[in-house]
Amino acid sequence: MIYLDNSATTKPYKEVLNTFIQVNESFYANPASIHEAGVESNTLLDRARGQVANLLHTENQHVLFTAGGTESNNFAIFGVPKANTHKGKHIITTEIEHASILEAAKSLEAEGYEVDYLKVDATGTISLQELQEKLRKDTVLVSIMHVNNEMGAIQPIEEAAKLIHENSRAAFHVDAVQSFGKLPIHFNGDAGPDIISISGHKIHGLKGSGVIAFRKKMNIIPFVLGGGQEFGLRSGTVAVPQAVALAKAARMAAEYMEQSAQKYRKWHNELFDYLTSYDDSIYLLSTKLGAAHILSFSVKDLKGEILINALQKQGIIVSTSSACSSKQKKTSHVVKALNIPPNFVNGVIRLSFGALTNDEDIQEFKKAFTNVMKDLKGEIIV
């Protein structure tokens, strides 16, 4: 099997799995306990927190471990606005965010918050001018994903940060689930975000692990109430093995980032040129300026599910769009936002590379896709 669906999830590194097992076996005590075993677990937890904080250029006490990207995103969307209603009830995000942002924003709208959704152009990129126009004195949060999970558009995070910090009192949240370990992303004063979300299973870590990190101390309400763990912001016994495993995966992602980026760009450009050779029968949603590890395209007058099944028979695993919404029988909100031609709407396919992808996988995909297109030639499924 050739796995090209790494933006949905990645296979954990063996080193991460070994770390997880070792911590479970030797540091299973509750880190909140005051006995020696608890202190040892807490020391290990603090070390993992410090490692993540170092990668993001922040302080240990500004890193919270969560159950994944969705929780981290929800934490930001609900936690910041509800703690800052004295400043206002206006939120800005984009129309191509992950569902964990958009659904949370809709929930807040139902509670009386006002949400503006920035549009994107054909490349999936926001307009900084529109962002500046939407910023208001009562804007309390701006949330913009760094890399789009469906087609790889990279947003101008640094430029957006400067506009937000110079023209409002809003906190700037960045969903870095698809960018951490692939592109540089960290806190950089007013030239960077205030809040960052990370998911472990997107970087060859474990499902059920994530991080929400802050640039500085912020006014934010607790996400889960209880015993006051995670600095009083996320109560519940902290899953030390997951936290340590995530820190391990994060360090490995950072260590291999430059090497991986070169491979991803090579494969992205090679496949981009290969798919372009099909002329008007294929529409490329991704661009050469987008994130190198994601390549999305659509086959004219063909349902994506047909192509996925045909490729699967050839031993190639890809996806139609975001795994979070691919089972829903409706057009992706990202596809709608890009305004692609109608006869390409149903045939969107996403390839996504990971650290375990190799050159042979790319060549095998090209062979399989060539065969599949020959077999499906003339077959119109609308």
Side-chain angles (χ1 to χ4, degrees):
M1 179 184 77
I2 294 174
Y3 185 76
L4 296 176
D5 195 19
N6 289 276
S7 284
T9 194
T10 55
K11 182 179 179 179
Y13 285 123
K14 288 183 179 179
E15 295 92 333
V16 171
L17 290 173
N18 289 338
T19 294
F20 178 73
I21 293 171
Q22 290 169 8
V23 176
N24 269 297
E25 289 178 338
S26 303
F27 297 91
Y28 50 83
N30 191 324
S33 298
I34 61 173
H35 50 64
E36 183 178 355
V39 171
E40 290 176 347
S41 291
N42 191 58
T43 299
L44 191 62
L45 176 63
D46 284 345
R47 187 184 305 160
R49 195 188 309 278
Q51 290 168 349
V52 175
N54 183 59
L55 292 172
L56 294 177
H57 299 179
T58 190
E59 302 298 324
N60 291 24
Q61 66 268 28
H62 298 151
V63 172
L64 307 183
F65 290 107
T66 69
T70 290
E71 183 189 334
S72 295
N73 284 342
N74 272 210
F75 200 132
I77 293 294
F78 288 121
V80 172
K82 290 190 175 185
N84 292 276
T85 53
H86 60 286
K87 293 182 180 179
K89 299 183 73 173
H90 179 238
I91 299 167
I92 299 174
T93 187
T94 83
E95 59 185 4
I96 62 167
E97 295 297 304
H98 188 268
S100 59
I101 295 292
L102 295 178
E103 292 303 314
K106 289 178 185 177
S107 177
L108 287 177
E109 283 185 288
E111 296 181 23
Y113 287 81
E114 185 179 353
V115 183
D116 276 319
Y117 298 88
L118 302 177
K119 297 184 181 300
V120 295
D121 60 20
T123 70
T125 309
I126 64 166
S127 162
L128 290 170
Q129 180 178 345
E130 185 187 10
L131 170 60
Q132 185 166 19
E133 291 171 352
K134 297 291 186 184
L135 286 168
R136 307 185 330 205
K137 290 183 179 179
D138 62 339
T139 306
V140 291
L141 180 72
V142 179
S143 182
I144 300 174
M145 64 173 13
H146 191 188
V147 170
N148 181 262
N149 54 308
E150 294 194 30
M151 49 77 68
I154 302 172
Q155 301 302 342
I157 295 303
E158 290 187 3
E159 293 87 343
K162 291 177 183 177
L163 282 177
I164 293 163
H165 292 138
E166 290 174 0
N167 296 279
S168 75
R169 296 185 295 170
F172 181 28
H173 167 248
V174 169
D175 173 354
V177 166
Q178 291 291 347
S179 66
F180 182 82
K182 285 92 172 176
L183 295 171
I185 177 71
H186 55 73
F187 298 112
N188 185 27
D190 286 343
D194 300 301
I195 313 169
I196 292 175
S197 296
I198 299 171
S199 175
H201 77 102
K202 306 294 189 180
I203 55 173
H204 300 278
L206 303 178
K207 296 173 184 64
S209 64
V211 160
I212 182 167
F214 306 92
R215 176 168 66 97
K216 59 184 179 180
K217 185 176 181 180
M218 300 188 66
N219 190 20
I220 186 166
I221 63 168
F223 191 71
V224 180
L225 300 176
Q229 290 88 344
E230 292 297 271
F231 311 106
L233 292 174
R234 185 183 186 268
S235 292
T237 301
V238 181
V240 178
Q242 279 90 332
V244 176
L246 184 145
K248 176 71 172 180
R251 296 200 318 274
M252 293 180 70
E255 180 182 352
Y256 300 144
M257 181 170 66
E258 185 174 346
Q259 175 185 346
S260 296
Q262 292 176 355
K263 293 192 301 181
Y264 298 160
R265 183 56 64 188
K266 171 190 171 186
W267 298 332
H268 188 281
N269 290 345
E270 179 181 345
L271 289 174
F272 194 98
D273 293 341
Y274 164 74
L275 292 167
T276 302
S277 70
Y278 281 89
D279 298 323
D280 63 351
S281 61
I282 286 182
Y283 182 94
L284 284 148
L285 284 73
S286 298
T287 72
K288 284 194 172 183
L289 298 178
H293 66 290
I294 296 175
L295 181 59
S296 291
F297 63 95
S298 180
V299 179
K300 187 176 182 180
D301 295 324
L302 192 68
K303 284 186 177 180
E305 292 86 349
I306 300 296
L307 190 52
I308 282 179
N309 291 333
L311 286 168
Q312 186 169 270
K313 291 177 181 178
Q314 300 272 338
I316 310 291
I317 303 298
V318 298
S319 64
T320 51
S321 59
S322 166
C324 303
S325 60
S326 59
K327 291 184 179 180
Q328 299 178 16
K329 303 300 181 182
K330 62 180 182 180
T331 303
S332 157
H333 66 287
V334 175
V335 172
K336 289 181 179 178
L338 294 174
N339 292 315
I340 73 172
N343 50 352
F344 288 97
V345 167
N346 295 321
V348 177
I349 297 298
R350 180 186 67 183
L351 312 180
S352 48
F353 317 131
L356 304 180
T357 307
N358 58 46
D359 287 318
E360 290 73 20
D361 294 339
I362 305 305
Q363 301 313 313
E364 287 302 315
F365 167 79
K366 290 167 65 176
K367 291 179 185 177
F369 187 79
T370 299
N371 292 334
V372 166
M373 288 297 284
K374 288 179 181 177
D375 292 340
L376 294 177
K377 189 175 181 179
E379 184 173 352
I380 306 299
I381 297 116
V382 294

